[in-house]
Amino acid sequence: MHPAPVSTPEQAQRQLAEHGPRWWHEGEATAIAQACAAVPDGALVHWPDVARWRAMLACLSERDDALACLALAHQGHRAQGNAGAALHDAHLALVLCLCDMGAMDTVTDWLARARPEPGAEHAAPAPWLQMGLLARAVLGGDLPADAEAAAAAAAQWLHAQLGPLQATLSPDERLLAAQVLVNWHFTQHRYEQFEWLASVVEPPAVFERASAAGRCRWLYTVGFALYQVGKRGAAESAWRRALALAEAQPLEAMRRMTAMAMLRLCLDAGRLDAAADIEATLSPQGGAGRLTQLIELHTMRGRLQLLRGEAARALATVEESLALARQGGLSLPEQAALHTDWAQALMALGRGDVAESLLARLAAQHSGRDAQVLHCLLLLWRALHPPTRGEAERRHALAEALRLAQALRYTMFFRLLPALAGRVCALALRWHIEPVFVRELIRDRDLPAPPDADAQWPWALWLRMLGGFELCLGGVRQRRSGKQQHKPLELLRLLACETTLDLPAHTLADALWPEADGASARKSLEMTVQRLRRLLGDDSLVQVGDGRVALDRARVSSDVVQRRRLVEQLEALAMRPELASAAGKPFEAAAAVSPVTTVAAGLASDVLALSTGLLLPGAPETPWLELGRQRCRRDLGRVVRALAALQTRHGATPADAALLAAAADTLRERERDSSA
């Protein structure tokens, strides 16, 4: 049974001193609120212990006045000469700032207040002192020389308190401690700790005893940490739980924060319609209306615009967000995400030189992980757009960038330019740089294959048909079974010879069943499509509609298609009227490199690597196959003519000229062999 309600500040202070810790541990927010109600807002500075309990109550109920109450508590305790209590207030405030309980523009002031006077740290309660030490280390500021060692010791202490047999911390304190530890481990790159922390704080018997706001805030935080290291499925699961909890209570501030997180995830996954639906539910006037939330909403809108191809609008939105951030005094780390968005918007507008200079300047200004992320983007850009860089320098830049990305678990580089991210990955696979990491990243982000993606790309289906036949599903070569399904394979090969990977249904029917009448051939085609889908184990790889049959171009390719695209690139180079640098035009292919003949020599080498023999040797002779072989021979002739035109129009260094001549001779020889 609770003590009787109080009516004076003195009674409130005595009751909170006697019963407050127990009520806090038992989650008795109502009892704390009744005691705090006896002290008017204007008198809280004179009753700092009550002011602190008011802040704790705000923490339980997700009100936005927690830091204001702690400021009054700190002021009152300082006036009373109680340095230990004042330090307690400051460390509690840093914990709440780190866990997004208040405006981050107060962090600098709280970091200054959290500097302990000699002996004061021994008067502060251990849980809040240890959490505050970690929060101070994560948030930065003017730290003492031994801050890193103190933070490591604090992390060790808090880990011990989270053990299953410990009862030192209340349910809400356990969740706050876990959130602080998540942030600390993130700065230390100890990402494996996230799921361990979830396992120790989320068992229902413990988790359900915490306040709804505390549970919601924890799910939001651990989801964000998982999201940052590329575990988007786990992040989405945590955020969906948080969103359901926030909507049921209701907790409007947490609902907005979590909805913003879901919006971010949908944008990264390319689910633009779902992202637009979430964005429509978020109003700048909703919730607490904090500046940080307003800026984040602008940020998400800018990202949605850029992913929709509205680069000019996106740049204006990002610059508006940056102006708000500077106006509101947001710290450099809080502007880091905006800075990466800013660079990507410039890239999308073809202002790559400006973006490169910006990334170099910002990487020097930032520190810690933010500086490393910006430097990683800079290296990736330099690897892709080297108007004055040789291949060795580009390889070095790409290798260093991907090494850094792995160490940081930074899998969302160029998040707003997925085509650019795809080009990075294709180049890395071609140069055999971190192939395991890159393939996992491609699959996780479902990146689109660039036009020059080759067999190294993790296609759902890849077909080799020049010089032999191989079928690879998900990167695994399929062995031929004893009983061959000739018609489904013939349909597959016929489609894979087309640059667009599709043909009209009547063309396919005539090619595969030339002796059958129209109705019978169409029926046979329908049955063969079904058999092919069963053979591949994925119905979506073979698409039917609008009178056409097609392979999914986003997930299927072949050496014939790849070689033909390279031929087209060579012909485009040969047609260029003059030598020109394309630096700053992000979506042009490697032709941005100077001189043009150096690029041509590389493309010719790629064509040679794919020209391993006759199209489908040993396959039954059919009219469509003979036509396909004729096209392949013409492709080789097109390359020879393009190489000759390149030397005539653009000239070449002696080394390039020798490479081009040797390539042309080899291609002529292979063209003759294929005609024999």
Side-chain angles (χ1 to χ4, degrees):
M1 187 170 67
H2 298 148
V6 297
S7 59
T8 67
E10 292 86 349
Q11 291 174 327
Q13 180 155 303
R14 284 197 302 271
Q15 194 175 90
L16 287 170
E18 181 179 355
H19 302 288
R22 177 172 59 82
W23 290 340
W24 169 258
H25 276 257
E26 295 175 357
E28 293 287 352
T30 302
I32 297 174
Q34 288 174 347
C36 289
V39 182
D41 292 349
L44 283 174
V45 71
H46 303 298
W47 302 95
D49 290 342
V50 179
R52 184 194 295 151
W53 280 114
R54 183 82 69 88
M56 303 287 276
L57 185 66
C59 176
L60 288 177
S61 59
E62 195 65 17
R63 292 206 319 266
D64 60 354
D65 60 343
L67 291 180
C69 292
L70 284 173
L72 293 173
H74 184 273
Q75 181 183 347
H77 283 131
R78 294 286 296 177
Q80 293 174 358
N82 192 341
L87 183 65
H88 179 189
D89 300 329
H91 279 243
L92 174 56
L94 289 178
V95 172
L96 298 189
C97 284
L98 185 64
C99 297
D100 202 23
M101 282 292 296
M104 290 291 287
D105 53 3
T106 64
V107 166
T108 302
D109 290 340
W110 284 115
L111 285 169
R113 294 170 183 169
R115 295 192 189 101
E117 297 178 6
E121 60 272 359
H122 300 298
W128 295 106
L129 176 63
Q130 304 302 329
M131 283 191 271
L133 282 171
L134 271 189
R136 184 174 63 172
V138 174
L139 292 167
D142 184 16
L143 298 175
D146 63 345
E148 186 173 344
Q156 186 177 5
W157 189 91
L158 288 171
H159 269 288
Q161 302 312 306
L162 290 177
L165 300 180
Q166 294 292 331
T168 306
L169 305 179
S170 74
D172 278 282
E173 286 171 347
R174 287 176 63 85
L175 293 181
L176 283 171
Q179 288 174 78
V180 174
L181 284 167
V182 162
N183 283 278
W184 164 252
H185 288 311
F186 195 88
T187 65
Q188 302 299 302
H189 303 165
R190 298 180 62 188
Y191 310 123
E192 74 284 353
Q193 294 293 324
F194 301 158
E195 288 167 308
W196 178 84
L197 286 166
S199 72
V200 298
V201 301
E202 289 188 26
V206 178
F207 195 59
E208 297 301 325
R209 289 172 53 209
S211 66
R215 285 178 279 148
C216 196
R217 191 166 51 247
W218 157 254
L219 291 168
Y220 170 82
T221 301
V222 73
F224 204 85
L226 292 166
Y227 162 84
Q228 289 286 4
V229 298
K231 296 186 176 182
R232 291 188 299 171
E236 183 168 4
S237 176
W239 283 339
R240 288 195 181 280
R241 290 170 62 196
L243 198 56
L245 188 58
E247 290 173 345
Q249 286 306 308
L251 299 167
E252 179 57 25
M254 283 307 308
R255 187 201 70 80
R256 285 172 55 81
M257 286 173 57
T258 310
M260 207 88 72
M262 288 291 292
L263 171 57
R264 180 192 301 262
L265 188 146
C266 288
L267 290 174
D268 289 346
R271 289 148 47 185
L272 301 189
D273 290 342
D277 290 342
I278 296 173
E279 188 267 342
T281 70
L282 296 167
S283 166
Q285 288 75 38
R290 288 182 298 176
L291 181 63
T292 51
Q293 289 187 343
L294 178 60
I295 292 169
E296 188 172 6
L297 179 56
H298 275 290
T299 302
M300 294 301 109
R301 285 177 174 164
R303 290 181 177 181
L304 181 58
Q305 290 162 353
L306 191 51
L307 287 166
R308 283 175 163 172
E310 302 166 359
R313 287 185 64 196
L315 180 61
T317 303
V318 171
E319 290 177 341
E320 181 182 355
S321 301
L322 282 165
L324 283 171
R326 297 184 190 114
Q327 176 187 342
L330 266 65
S331 65
L332 201 60
E334 291 174 280
Q335 298 181 47
L338 281 170
H339 287 156
T340 59
D341 291 359
W342 190 12
Q344 290 175 88
L346 290 167
M347 293 172 188
L349 284 169
R351 297 167 61 184
D353 52 344
V354 179
E356 183 173 349
S357 298
L358 175 67
L359 286 170
R361 176 168 57 84
L362 291 173
Q365 291 176 356
H366 281 267
S367 61
R369 188 178 192 273
D370 293 332
Q372 292 174 306
V373 164
L374 289 160
H375 184 59
C376 180
L377 287 176
L378 176 63
L379 291 172
L380 291 172
W381 181 257
R382 286 175 174 171
L384 283 177
H385 299 281
T388 59
R389 301 180 186 97
E391 183 175 310
E393 186 178 354
R394 295 172 62 204
R395 283 177 180 264
H396 177 76
L398 186 56
E400 177 63 18
L402 291 178
R403 182 200 64 76
L404 191 56
Q406 277 198 93
L408 298 172
R409 296 291 294 273
Y410 178 46
T411 61
M412 293 305 298
F413 53 77
F414 296 135
R415 72 170 70 238
L416 305 180
L417 303 173
L420 201 62
R423 286 182 52 204
V424 166
C425 293
L427 190 62
L429 292 173
R430 188 172 302 118
W431 285 344
H432 306 289
I433 298 173
E434 306 294 352
V436 175
F437 170 68
V438 169
R439 288 191 181 96
E440 288 177 355
L441 187 151
I442 291 168
R443 294 188 184 100
D444 183 58
R445 290 180 59 177
D446 196 21
L447 287 176
D452 59 344
D454 58 17
Q456 300 299 318
W457 188 269
W459 300 99
L461 171 61
W462 170 266
L463 299 162
R464 182 178 77 86
M465 301 193 295
L466 296 169
F469 179 73
E470 287 181 1
L471 186 156
C472 294
L473 286 170
V476 179
R477 179 182 174 184
Q478 304 299 298
R479 297 185 179 276
R480 297 188 181 186
S481 61
K483 184 179 179 181
Q484 293 295 307
Q485 302 188 49
H486 296 293
K487 279 302 179 185
L489 286 175
E490 189 178 5
L491 170 60
L492 180 62
R493 292 163 176 166
L494 178 50
L495 290 170
C497 283
E498 297 297 315
T499 308
T500 58
L501 297 177
D502 78 328
L503 281 170
H506 65 82
T507 301
L508 289 167
D510 292 343
L512 297 176
W513 295 275
E515 305 300 328
D517 60 50
S520 177
R522 284 194 299 274
K523 184 65 176 176
S524 296
L525 178 60
E526 291 173 4
M527 294 176 60
T528 302
V529 166
Q530 295 303 318
R531 291 171 61 197
L532 177 57
R533 285 173 167 170
R534 286 195 297 271
L535 175 66
L536 299 177
D538 184 347
D539 288 358
S540 65
L541 292 175
V542 185
Q543 302 167 347
V544 178
D546 297 325
R548 305 183 74 86
V549 179
L551 300 175
D552 183 355
R553 276 180 281 180
R555 300 188 296 143
V556 180
S557 193
S558 72
D559 54 355
V560 174
V561 171
Q562 174 63 19
R563 191 175 71 169
R564 197 159 290 146
R565 287 173 177 166
L566 292 170
V567 172
E568 291 168 356
Q569 290 182 45
L570 273 168
E571 289 178 329
L573 277 178
M575 293 297 292
R576 287 176 65 170
E578 61 184 11
L579 185 62
S581 171
K585 297 182 179 179
F587 302 115
E588 292 198 8
V593 187
S594 177
V596 169
T597 49
T598 300
V599 182
L603 291 173
S605 176
D606 291 340
V607 170
L608 283 171
L610 289 168
S611 302
T612 55
L614 187 69
L615 174 66
L616 295 171
E621 299 294 331
T622 60
W624 75 262
L625 180 56
E626 179 53 34
L627 288 173
R629 288 172 176 169
Q630 291 175 15
R631 287 181 66 190
C632 286
R633 288 193 288 271
R634 288 197 297 270
D635 288 341
L636 293 176
R638 290 164 63 191
V639 177
V640 173
R641 290 189 292 275
L643 294 179
L646 276 161
Q647 293 192 70
T648 301
R649 296 169 68 90
H650 296 285
T653 65
D656 285 347
L659 286 172
L660 294 173
D665 288 343
T666 303
L667 287 165
R668 288 190 191 95
E669 186 177 320
R670 293 189 181 179
E671 184 182 13
R672 286 194 296 270
D673 290 344
S674 65
S675 300

